[in-house]
């Protein structure tokens, strides 16, 4: 695996949980970053306003591949998401995006795994480019869903509290993607990415309590109560069914630690305790 000098990378989904981390890690490593958005002015004033200096916000839409041509000029690395639009439907424009990337000289592509085989991922894997699929398990940032209840009630209410998770810090996802986009030795790989430990819900609650300096109670919901809560929050039935399925019996890859982060980046994956310390203020009243 050899390192490369400064390169220009286009990051799609740059305002998302993972995309923001890809941007930050690429900048930290000294690369030039372009962040793709459908509305640059709105993005600069909103979600991208707190980005580190040096990010070039460019116009483009993955659903309209022709709009990407100016953004891809001079780019050697491309980070792709597989969903687009307000409803996050799977993008069907993978072949067109790949062909444009090839024509404009892109060498490496990372794809953020979309939960299953998608048209974008299929097109990238058949492209002949140096591709890497980045497949994280549960994000540590999912714990932010508990923030309001913790601040106001000092309580977390969840079903299946004994479920196990090898959850991953979103910054480690960004770090793996950044390496794959700018260094050799990662072509044709699907990287399953986990954190360094397997945690129960109680483990997570304890880490958050320690970080914020105040105890947090844990209430176990019945399956039916959880379903009612999710319906009241507007979750579609297919999403509710998926949550029940993965919470009741987490797939082995979601509860088994692998050392991908350390192998790819050269340092251990961050712990949930570290994540909790970084976000402690969010959980304080």
């Amino acid at each position: 695996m050899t390192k490369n000098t400064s390169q220009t990378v286009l990051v799609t989904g740059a305002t998302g949980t993972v995309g923001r981390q890809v941007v930050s890690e690429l900048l930290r490593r000294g690369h030039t970053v372009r962040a793709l958005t459908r509305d640059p002015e709105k993005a600069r004033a909103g979600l991208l306003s707190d980005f580190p200096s040096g990010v070039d916000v460019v116009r483009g839409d993955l659903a309209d591949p022709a709009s990407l041509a100016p953004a891809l000029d001079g780019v050697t690395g491309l980070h792709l998401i597989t969903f687009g639009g307000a409803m996050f439907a799977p993008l069907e424009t993978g072949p067109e995006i790949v062909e444009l990337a090839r024509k404009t000289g892109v060498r490496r592509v990372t794809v953020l795994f979309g939960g299953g085989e998608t048209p974008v991922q299929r097109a990238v894997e058949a492209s002949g480019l140096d591709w890497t699929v980045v497949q994280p398990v549960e994000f540590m940032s999912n714990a932010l869903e508990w923030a309001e209840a913790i601040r106001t009630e000092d309580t977390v209410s969840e079903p299946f509290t004994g479920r196990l998770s090898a959850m991953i810090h979103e910054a480690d996802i960004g770090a793996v993607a950044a390496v794959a986009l700018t260094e050799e030795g990662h072509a044709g790989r699907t990287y399953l990415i986990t954190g360094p430990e397997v945690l129960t819900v109680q483990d997570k609650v304890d880490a958050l309590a320690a970080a914020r300096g105040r105890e947090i109670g844990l209430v176990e919901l019945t399956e039916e109560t959880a379903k009612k809560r999710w319906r009241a929050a507007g979750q579609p039935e297919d999403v509710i069914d998926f949550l029940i399925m993965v919470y009741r019996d987490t797939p082995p890859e979601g509860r088994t630690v692998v050392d991908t982060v350390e192998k790819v980046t050269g340092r251990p994956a961050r712990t949930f305790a570290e994540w909790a310390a970084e976000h402690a203020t969010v959980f304080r009243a």
Side-chain angles (χ1 to χ4, degrees):
M1 181 164 47
T2 58
K3 294 187 177 181
N4 296 280
T5 55
S6 180
Q7 298 164 63
T8 299
V9 179
L10 178 65
V11 178
T12 69
T15 60
T17 300
V18 173
R20 297 175 72 85
Q21 299 295 337
V22 178
V23 168
S24 296
E25 183 66 18
L26 287 166
L27 288 173
R28 191 186 71 79
R29 291 170 173 266
H31 299 290
T32 299
V33 182
R34 292 180 188 163
L36 189 78
T37 177
R38 291 189 296 272
D39 188 343
E41 294 306 317
K42 182 178 180 181
R44 289 190 188 98
L47 288 169
L48 294 180
S49 61
D50 61 346
F51 262 26
S53 60
V55 178
D56 182 15
V57 182
V58 295
R59 186 184 307 277
D61 186 347
L62 291 174
D64 177 17
S67 70
L68 304 179
L72 284 168
D73 183 33
V75 164
T76 57
L78 172 62
H79 176 70
L80 287 173
I81 55 175
T82 62
F83 294 82
M87 301 305 293
F88 298 100
L91 289 161
E92 301 290 341
T93 52
E96 295 87 348
I97 294 170
V98 165
E99 182 59 24
L100 184 59
R102 288 166 56 91
K103 287 181 178 178
T104 53
V106 171
R107 293 180 54 202
R108 300 185 183 92
V109 181
T110 55
V111 178
L112 181 64
F113 185 68
E117 191 176 78
T118 58
V120 169
Q121 184 174 326
R122 286 196 298 269
V124 169
E125 291 177 349
S127 68
L129 298 169
D130 288 353
W131 59 265
T132 306
V133 175
V134 178
Q135 184 178 342
V137 297
E138 182 187 4
F139 297 176
M140 291 182 181
S141 59
N142 286 0
L144 293 171
E145 298 171 0
W146 299 338
E148 183 177 358
I150 289 174
R151 286 195 304 267
T152 59
E153 302 171 11
D154 294 327
T155 301
V156 168
S157 302
E158 285 288 313
F160 309 109
T161 57
R163 67 181 185 263
L164 301 176
S165 175
M167 61 196 323
I168 179 73
H169 195 304
E170 51 273 19
D172 286 333
I173 308 170
V176 169
V179 171
L181 285 163
T182 57
E183 298 183 12
E184 297 176 5
H186 307 282
R189 307 281 186 89
T190 296
Y191 282 140
L192 179 66
I193 309 173
T194 77
E197 56 196 343
V198 178
L199 304 171
T200 65
V201 177
Q202 185 68 65
D203 294 331
K204 301 173 195 178
V205 169
D206 289 345
L208 292 171
R212 76 167 193 153
R214 184 183 174 95
E215 290 187 3
I216 301 170
L218 176 59
V219 175
E220 180 157 20
L221 302 177
T222 65
E223 182 176 324
E224 192 54 42
T225 301
K227 287 180 178 179
K228 288 179 180 178
R229 186 178 71 171
W230 290 328
R231 289 189 186 111
Q235 293 284 11
E237 286 299 317
D238 60 334
V239 172
I240 292 172
D241 290 342
F242 173 77
L243 290 172
I244 292 296
M245 179 184 68
V246 297
Y247 284 179
R248 181 191 291 131
D249 185 17
T250 303
E253 58 269 24
R255 51 182 166 83
T256 304
V257 171
V258 294
D259 60 355
T260 305
V261 172
E262 186 163 10
K263 284 183 175 178
V264 174
T265 69
R267 57 161 187 73
R270 296 167 173 89
T271 66
F272 185 67
E274 291 177 272
W275 185 95
E278 293 166 7
H279 297 82
T281 56
V282 178
F283 298 93
R284 293 182 183 130

